[in-house]
Amino acid sequence: MRKAVCPGSFDPVTLGHLDVFKRAANQFDHVTVAVLLNSTKQSLFSLEQRMDMIRESVKDLPNVTVDTFHGLLVNYCVDNEIGAIVKGLRAVSDFDYELQMAQMNSRLGVDTFFVATNPEFSFLSSSIIKEIAKYGGDVSGLVSPHVNAALVSEFGAGK
Ligand code: PNS
């Protein structure tokens, strides 16, 4: 079975992430969306909230499951017999850091496969979504309805 992982913080998951999950799911037998548990990084949503939002987003993708990990991603891959990391590349600005991580992860034993982000979502990031939502901007159309509802509930009317 060809297994892949899509790792990240997903605070929160966006339609850009979802597009990458779907495309990975078309290429691999099984895809795990692995949410990083990082106690030093401040997140808007708790780990459980982030995982629940992703579960709801991928509920129609039968070969995609959601998990959490901490420590080195390659260790998670080895423990779960996952042979590939799949990540989206939005723009040249992503490239240097992603290349560095991919090369290090390859050296540690797991290759990374990049998919070019759908241009519709190439400007999207969880950070910019939070920034817009915080001040009451409309992010519907960029995140799933349940994620939009969670943002509205978190920030209220914003402004
Ligand atoms: O959504 P993010 O925060 O950009 O995701 C970054 C992530 C989780 C993919 C990356 O930080 C990671 O893999 N962290 C786990 C620790 C690790 O393996 N570090 C070595 C990378 S070469």
Side-chain angles (χ1 to χ4, degrees), residues 109-131:
V110 185
D111 269 326
T112 299
F113 296 80
F114 292 112
V115 290
T117 302
N118 183 331
E120 202 184 333
F121 305 125
S122 62
F123 62 95
L124 254 190
S125 69
S126 297
S127 304
I128 205 164
I129 287 291
K130 284 182 282 192
E131 174 91 4

Side-chain angles (χ1 to χ4, degrees), residues 7-10 36 41 69 71-74 87 97 101 104-105:
S9 304
F10 308 117
L36 178 66
K41 192 169 166 184
F69 77 106
L72 281 184
L73 177 60
V74 288
K87 303 200 79 178
Y97 183 52
M101 282 200 291
M104 179 54 88
N105 284 330

Side-chain angles (χ1 to χ4, degrees), residues 2-3 6 22 29 36 61-62 65 80 134-135 138 155:
R2 292 158 67 245
K3 298 203 279 185
C6 293
K22 284 180 183 165
D29 299 317
L36 178 66
L61 301 174
T65 55
N80 293 280
K134 181 176 175 181
Y135 295 108
D138 180 15
F155 290 123

